[in-house]
Amino acid sequence: MKNFLNFRTLFCVLVLTGLVALSAHAQGPRLKVEFSLKDGNKTVLSKPINISVSYTKPAKRTAEDLAADAEVYRPFYIVLSYEGLDLELLRAFAQTKGSIDAEVVITDSYGRLATRKMAIKGLVLEGLNEQNGGEYSNSYVNLTCDVVYVNGIKLPD
C-alpha cells in the first residue's frame, strides 16, 4: 500500500510539473517588442519576434576621410525578425526617399525587467530576407542608422 501511495504522489507531482510548464509556454513570449515609425502623418506599428542592435565604432581616420564618408557610414546595424513579412513596414520604407525615425519599446510580460525604450534616428532600409517553405515562414529586415537613444542615453556619445 505504501508503494502505491508513493507512486500516486510521484505521478501527481509529475503531472502538475508538466501542467505548470505547459501553461508557462502557452502564455507566449516573455519579452515583447514593439517597433513604431512615422510614415508622414501615419504611425506604423510593427511587432517583430525579436530585435538585434549592434554598434561598430569606426576605425580612426583623418577628418577628410570622415567628411567623405559622412553620408554613407551609419554605425548601427539593426535586424528585425518576423514570422511573416510585415507589409506595412515595408510600404513605409518603400515610400520614403530619405531616412525615418523610429521607436522601440521592449516590455517584460512577467514585470521583472524594466521597460526599455529606444529612439532610433536616421533609419534606412539596407536589406530584406524572406524565407518560405511548407508551413514555415519568416523574414528579416536589415536596417542601419546614425544614432540610437537607449532610455534617454545617446549612443554614440
Side-chain angles (χ1 to χ4, degrees):
M1 184 70 169
K2 188 173 181 178
N3 284 338
F4 179 71
L5 289 175
N6 286 341
F7 174 74
R8 206 167 65 175
T9 303
L10 179 63
F11 180 74
C12 288
V13 168
L14 290 175
V15 168
L16 289 175
T17 303
L19 289 175
V20 168
L22 184 62
S23 69
H25 180 69
Q27 289 177 1
R30 176 177 176 173
L31 295 178
K32 296 185 181 183
V33 180
E34 289 185 351
F35 183 82
S36 61
L37 54 90
K38 289 267 190 190
D39 179 22
N41 295 332
K42 181 172 99 172
T43 299
V44 176
L45 179 63
S46 178
K47 296 189 179 188
I49 298 169
N50 60 41
I51 182 171
S52 171
V53 179
S54 64
Y55 170 73
T56 304
K57 188 174 182 176
K60 297 203 182 235
R61 297 180 287 177
T62 65
E64 293 82 23
D65 292 340
L66 291 172
D69 290 345
E71 303 260 339
V72 178
Y73 182 73
R74 293 181 194 88
F76 289 94
Y77 185 71
I78 300 169
V79 179
L80 303 171
S81 64
Y82 295 91
E83 285 183 8
L85 190 58
D86 187 331
L87 295 177
E88 287 300 314
L89 182 73
L90 186 61
R91 183 175 291 114
F93 279 107
Q95 293 174 349
T96 302
K97 301 290 183 216
S99 62
I100 299 176
D101 293 342
E103 183 178 277
V104 177
V105 178
I106 303 170
T107 55
D108 178 10
S109 61
Y110 292 0
R112 293 184 183 145
L113 300 174
T115 298
R116 180 173 300 153
K117 293 182 182 180
M118 289 186 233
I120 302 171
K121 306 293 181 186
L123 200 58
V124 175
L125 177 66
E126 294 289 343
L128 179 69
N129 180 351
E130 183 179 22
Q131 301 170 350
N132 294 298
E135 297 176 18
Y136 179 79
S137 174
N138 71 3
S139 63
Y140 301 95
V141 178
N142 305 315
L143 309 164
T144 58
C145 71
D146 301 320
V147 177
V148 172
Y149 292 87
V150 178
N151 288 356
I153 302 167
K154 182 183 176 189
L155 302 172
D157 199 24

